[in-house]
Amino acid sequence: MSTILLAGGAGYIGSHTAVELLESGYDVVIADNFSNSCPESVKRVEQITGKSVKLYEVDIKDAAKLENVFSENSIDAVIHFAGLKAVGESVEKPVLYYRNNIDTTLSLLECMNKYGVKNIIFSSSATVYGEENPVPYTEEMKRGTCTNPYGWTKVMMEQILEDTAKADSSMSVVLLRYFNPIGAHESGMIGEDPQGIPNNLMPYVAQVAVGRRDHLTIFGNDYPTPDGTCRRDYIHVVDLAKGHVKAVEYVMKNKGVEVFNLGTGTPYSVTEIVTAFEKANDIKIKYEYGQRRAGDLPESYANADKALKVLGWKTEKNLEDMCRDLWNWQRNNPQGYNK
Ligand code: NAD
Ligand code: UDP
């Protein structure tokens, strides 16, 4: 069976993807520096699946150290999750973000080139559609203007990967543009474990529910949307992880570059999300309305037709599943992995 290297695989999306790959019969190697994760997530992946994962603690920017991973394993495809992802922090520390996100990509590509690995799947983001494109986003739209350095790193990395594939016709690159992954594995053993105050909506809601935060501030209720709050395309992280299994099958059979949106195609507002969490879990979430957050777009959601047509993938879980599974994880792990 094929061996897949998950760069940054100890993180939120990587750990869920590891479970789905292992359960589909792939061998999984993870390389991570644990800058935003811990080895415990990988142990839990092994517990859930009853299979073992080869784990390397390595800074992927460091191509010389990363090379061990390639020399010691026969890697068939790489999934590149390794990156810093906090939008606000990227505005304050742009050099850190450009250095980490671009250099991890370059080091991976250098090692792939040296060891003849031709297949890579990249964790891109809906943020690359920028401010100009109308919703719902389709893959053939041009990348737009981002509002922050994090978004620009994704734009730049897409470009780097496209150029690399253009220069080497034996390469296969899949760019996955994620919408808003939320929820957790239904076992409640792995989930999102943000360090410090969560930047994203759902981890914040979950921490209010578990008593770690007093209340949620909803950033703006004067947007041009049905209830005035922003609308996003929330996708269950397990559906997203299953999309990676399909992308692995695809990347190993094809050449060139292909882009896929991974979303549901259905937007929900912040208020709808809070209400859905309350209803699914029978818990009240204290919230108040505050100022808009700089850089937020009123709406972001996918046209998800291409992934269905080409990969045969679509989401299977609904908003209630997302809210229930998130709470199951948070309730069982009130302090995340660091219990
Ligand atoms: P995460 O922070 O949980 O996972 C990223 C992992 O990469 C972490 O385990 C971190 O320790 C590791 N990492 C970072 N820099 C590294 C380095 N230099 N060397 C080795 N390991 C390194 O984030 P996630 O939510 O799982 O996101 C995975 C990818 O998907 C990221 O590239 C992110 O930008 C992208 N993405 C995430 C979202 C989202 O909402 N979660 C949306 C769109 C795109
Ligand atoms: N949001 C909010 N309060 C928070 C965090 C987020 O109202 O504490 C809103 C945010 O303005 C956006 C939506 O929730 O409209 C989703 O935000 P998130 O940061 O999770 O995702 P992104 O902005 O990247 O789509």
Side-chain angles (χ1 to χ4, degrees):
M1 200 23 145
S2 308
T3 300
I4 315 300
L5 170 62
L6 308 193
Y12 173 47
I13 302 170
S15 55
H16 288 81
T17 301
V19 168
E20 298 305 320
L21 286 169
L22 289 163
E23 288 184 343
S24 302
Y26 291 95
D27 288 328
V28 169
V29 176
I30 291 180
D32 204 301
N33 66 352
F34 306 120
S35 57
N36 196 37
S37 57
C38 56
E40 177 65 19
S41 66
V42 181
K43 276 196 204 135
R44 303 233 185 142
V45 166
E46 294 182 322
Q47 282 165 18
I48 291 168
T49 59
K51 299 189 177 169
S52 63
V53 171
K54 206 159 166 190
L55 176 62
Y56 290 83
E57 180 168 1
V58 58
D59 187 332
I60 292 164
K61 295 196 292 298
D62 188 340
K65 295 223 172 87
L66 181 63
E67 228 189 286
N68 292 334
V69 180
F70 283 80
S71 65
E72 290 173 12
N73 299 280
S74 171
I75 292 165
D76 296 289
V78 174
I79 310 183
H80 179 17
F81 299 101
L84 298 173
K85 61 163 185 176
V87 170
E89 187 184 49
S90 80
V91 176
E92 286 155 28
K93 300 175 182 167
V95 177
L96 178 74
Y97 271 66
Y98 287 114
R99 170 67 80 196
N100 191 73
N101 292 1
I102 308 282
D103 273 5
T104 49
T105 308
L106 297 176
S107 295
L108 279 167
L109 288 170
E110 282 168 358
C111 286
M112 286 173 64
N113 186 40
K114 192 161 174 185
Y115 288 85
V117 180
K118 298 294 181 183
N119 306 316
I120 182 165
I121 295 166
F122 175 60
S123 299
S124 191
S125 164
T127 195
V128 303
Y129 289 107
E131 295 177 304
E132 299 87 347
N133 287 303
V135 284
Y137 299 134
T138 50
E139 289 86 347
E140 77 281 359
M141 288 173 174
K142 282 206 161 70
R143 290 184 284 259
T145 307
C146 293
T147 55
N148 57 78
Y150 165 75
W152 283 120
T153 68
K154 294 294 180 197
V155 168
M156 291 175 192
M157 291 186 287
E158 285 199 357
Q159 186 69 52
I160 290 167
L161 287 159
E162 284 175 5
D163 290 343
T164 309
K166 208 184 276 174
D168 177 354
S169 61
S170 64
M171 275 198 77
S172 180
V173 171
V174 168
L175 306 175
L176 297 179
R177 293 181 180 157
Y178 307 157
F179 283 71
N180 288 57
I182 61 171
H185 190 262
E186 63 178 11
S187 64
M189 290 174 67
I190 55 172
E192 191 169 12
D193 183 17
Q195 295 175 3
I197 301 170
N199 301 299
N200 298 110
L201 176 64
M202 282 318 259
Y204 204 105
V205 167
Q207 290 194 9
V208 172
V210 83
R212 279 172 72 180
R213 313 272 158 211
D214 178 63
H215 69 278
L216 170 75
T217 301
I218 295 181
F219 298 143
N221 61 346
D222 57 351
Y223 283 98
T225 58
D227 66 16
T229 65
C230 294
R231 299 206 300 169
R232 297 285 181 273
D233 185 337
Y234 296 93
I235 171 172
H236 196 297
V237 67
V238 171
D239 276 333
L240 186 75
K242 288 181 173 160
H244 290 72
V245 178
K246 295 287 189 186
V248 165
E249 289 165 13
Y250 181 90
V251 83
M252 295 208 286
K253 278 197 218 121
N254 293 277
K255 301 273 170 257
V257 181
E258 208 56 74
V259 185
F260 297 102
N261 287 337
L262 294 185
T264 66
T266 305
Y268 288 103
S269 73
V270 181
T271 317
E272 285 172 324
I273 287 290
V274 172
T275 307
F277 186 93
E278 290 182 328
K279 191 162 165 245
N281 300 311
D282 198 16
I283 294 177
K284 274 273 159 231
I285 298 296
K286 197 169 147 195
Y287 67 88
E288 61 183 32
Y289 292 108
Q291 297 295 310
R292 289 183 179 196
R293 182 172 68 178
D296 276 348
L297 298 175
E299 295 192 294
S300 166
Y301 58 96
N303 174 315
D305 294 350
K306 185 176 172 188
L308 177 59
K309 199 166 150 219
V310 180
L311 300 178
W313 171 90
K314 66 174 169 54
T315 56
E316 287 163 359
K317 293 176 183 280
N318 62 26
L319 186 56
E320 190 184 342
D321 299 326
M322 302 183 212
C323 292
R324 190 198 52 239
D325 292 341
L326 168 61
W327 179 232
N328 187 35
W329 151 253
Q330 185 72 72
R331 188 179 43 169
N332 287 319
N333 305 270
Q335 303 299 324
Y337 291 111
N338 186 20
K339 54 179 177 178

